[in-house]
Amino acid sequence: GYSVMKRPKWSNGLSTAGIGREVRIGYWENPLWEWDLTYEYLPDAPANGYTNNDLRTLMGFDLTTKGLRIPFLFKDPDDYTVTNQFINTTDGASQLYTLVRTFGEPPYTGTEPIGYLDQLATFNVYLDGNLQSPSSYSIMSALPVAQKLRFNTIPAAGQDITVDMTYYYYVRLSEDIIDFEKFMHLLWTVKKVTLISLRG
């Protein structure tokens, strides 16, 4: 349901001298992300032509993750795919390159590693705009490490690597408790479920 809250979360240090001058230190290169999700209508019975039970699906998911203990993949409907994403420029020595995505509008853009590559979706790799055969590379995607593109043969230096890809965030629930509220017979609601992204 709406509204959905999304926020980047930073970790910075601030020290203020007696004369009022500040010293600011950033501890993280990239933010963690948080989402507040609302589930306004959770019928405890199949509804609207569906055969599943929405309440028991969400409650069962919470039981499966055991609260905040077990991480999972989350596809943000507003931030899950990129085309012609610049990854890096080859240096003639490296086979591994971290998959990243850039968000924002120039000159205000931020680039950070993705949480997990959707390997069921289209994934294209280009060197200087030339599409590469899937047999020339592989994806190192074991969680919780950062997702990496591995070339089978080290490419020549000075080539721009770009990709088309779909990705997930690697997240967990923020708390061990979700409040399920029954407001009518067989109808429930959850006012807020907060997700927190994790480092790959």
Side-chain angles (χ1 to χ4, degrees):
Y2 292 98
S3 63
V4 174
M5 302 291 293
K6 180 179 180 179
R7 52 188 169 271
K9 181 179 179 181
W10 296 95
S11 179
N12 297 308
L14 174 65
S15 178
T16 304
I19 61 173
R21 181 173 295 168
E22 293 182 346
V23 176
R24 295 170 299 280
I25 300 173
Y27 300 120
W28 298 347
E29 182 179 357
N30 298 303
L32 293 177
W33 293 87
E34 294 183 352
W35 297 260
D36 292 338
L37 307 179
T38 302
Y39 296 87
E40 300 171 344
Y41 179 75
L42 293 170
D44 188 14
N48 298 326
Y50 294 100
T51 58
N52 61 305
N53 181 304
D54 291 345
L55 170 70
R56 294 173 190 241
T57 297
L58 183 58
M59 195 174 287
F61 182 76
D62 180 47
L63 296 173
T64 300
T65 63
K66 304 183 186 304
L68 59 75
R69 189 191 315 176
I70 300 176
F72 54 94
L73 301 178
F74 171 65
K75 185 174 285 185
D76 183 336
D78 302 299
D79 178 13
Y80 71 93
T81 186
V82 286
T83 301
N84 198 33
Q85 169 67 54
F86 175 74
I87 300 298
N88 211 323
T89 300
T90 57
D91 58 13
S94 302
Q95 284 181 276
L96 288 176
Y97 294 90
T98 299
L99 293 173
V100 297
R101 76 93 173 90
T102 300
F103 197 86
E105 291 292 336
Y108 306 107
T109 58
T111 299
E112 60 185 291
I114 65 168
Y116 190 80
L117 179 69
D118 183 352
Q119 298 189 48
L120 299 179
T122 299
F123 181 70
N124 295 320
V125 177
Y126 306 87
L127 289 174
D128 278 347
N130 297 308
L131 181 63
Q132 303 299 296
S133 169
S135 63
S136 67
Y137 59 83
S138 59
I139 302 299
M140 301 182 67
S141 60
L143 289 169
V145 299
Q147 307 291 285
K148 295 185 182 294
L149 169 66
R150 182 185 186 277
F151 289 101
N152 298 337
T153 302
I154 296 174
Q159 301 181 82
D160 286 346
I161 306 169
T162 54
V163 302
D164 307 325
M165 65 179 173
T166 300
Y167 51 87
Y168 296 91
Y169 281 87
Y170 187 47
V171 304
R172 65 167 172 82
L173 296 173
S174 67
E175 299 180 15
D176 281 327
I177 297 174
I178 295 177
D179 292 320
F180 293 85
E181 177 185 350
K182 185 177 182 180
F183 65 92
M184 193 176 293
H185 180 60
L186 296 180
L187 294 178
W188 296 69
T189 186
V190 173
K191 291 185 169 59
K192 185 171 74 170
V193 175
T194 300
L195 310 182
I196 299 176
S197 69
L198 302 172
R199 301 288 187 207

